Amino acid sequence: MMKQNLIYACFLLSLSCSNAFAQTQAFDIDASHSKVGFTANLAGLVDVDGTFPDFEGTILYDEQDVSKLSVSALIKVATIHTGELHRDEHLQKEEFFDAQKYPNIEFRSNHVKKSGKKWLMSGTLKMKGVEKQIEFPIQKVHGLTKDPWDNQRITFTAELPIKRSDFGIGAADFWGSSIKNEVIIKLTISGRIFNTDLMSVFEEGKPGKILYDLIVEKGIETGIQQMEEIKKTNPDFF
């Protein structure tokens, strides 16, 4: 439901753009094909990689003018994943992210500008209740492109260092002092506008939805066989 509401909000936002922003489109961030990751160094000996798998957001994008790019995103802290359960639980505690009190990391861009051959995005990063202005280079992987389902897509990558101490993440205990203060954030962000013509195929009661449910419940072969039987008794429906 949250995802549907987000898509609907993006749609309304795209309709509300003025003539001056007629080329600006609203994309939802496709978390299943994006990545919010980080690398932290332990005791100067080994890098530890992690991700936040659960996030959502909106991208405003103009294919003709990258300077109009705008991003708003929200990341669920409790989904932090480093490949080690005990470490993940520790990182959610008060001395680190304090996920119970501060469940979300938020970012909202406010400006994009050209710097040499690069584009720089600036914005407000809010983490553990602390807001900081940050600036970092972004790279376009591809502009407006259609995927195999005719969804419109854009993809950007970015990499930036932040200091844990700026946000009060990590106390001066053994683990807090053993992790390097500078952490590298690594982003791959894919924006998507759904092809609503294809989405309608999967509405409740439509053939696509019936077939999907049969396959989930019965398996591929049995689902297709039962679908064929339904077609024989009600060919007009299909």
Side-chain angles (χ1 to χ4, degrees), residues 66-131:
V66 178
S67 69
K68 294 178 182 177
L69 178 68
S70 175
V71 178
S72 297
L74 185 147
I75 302 163
K76 301 293 185 181
V77 173
T79 65
I80 190 169
H81 177 73
T82 64
E84 209 286 311
L85 180 60
H86 178 71
R87 179 168 56 212
D88 295 344
E89 292 174 345
H90 189 196
L91 289 171
Q92 293 181 51
K93 292 183 177 180
E94 183 178 358
E95 60 267 30
F96 281 93
F97 285 97
D98 198 357
Q100 185 172 358
K101 186 176 181 179
Y102 305 103
N104 301 317
I105 296 172
E106 301 173 30
F107 175 76
R108 179 172 283 105
S109 68
N110 52 38
H111 189 64
V112 174
K113 65 181 180 181
K114 191 73 177 292
S115 178
K117 295 182 178 180
K118 296 181 179 180
W119 288 94
L120 294 177
M121 174 175 283
S122 60
T124 303
L125 177 62
K126 184 177 181 180
M127 192 158 45
K128 203 176 180 180
V130 179
E131 292 187 2

Side-chain angles (χ1 to χ4, degrees), residues 41-47 178:
N41 184 269
L42 178 63
L45 300 174
V46 63
D47 286 339
S178 297

Side-chain angles (χ1 to χ4, degrees), residues 142-213:
H142 65 80
L144 195 59
T145 307
K146 287 189 176 181
D147 66 19
W149 297 271
D150 279 345
N151 301 313
Q152 296 187 74
R153 286 189 178 274
I154 54 173
T155 302
F156 289 84
T157 60
E159 187 170 308
L160 63 145
I162 64 169
K163 292 183 178 180
R164 296 185 296 111
S165 58
D166 287 345
F167 299 92
I169 296 175
D173 58 7
F174 173 76
W175 289 111
S177 59
S178 297
I179 302 171
K180 188 176 179 180
N181 189 30
E182 185 177 89
V183 177
I184 306 300
I185 307 301
K186 300 176 180 180
L187 306 171
T188 299
I189 302 298
S190 179
R192 173 180 59 189
I193 298 177
F194 276 109
N195 172 16
T196 54
D197 290 337
L198 181 62
M199 287 178 66
S200 66
V201 173
F202 293 95
E203 290 178 2
E204 198 66 40
K206 295 291 183 69
K209 184 65 165 63
I210 293 173
L211 177 59
Y212 174 80
D213 289 343

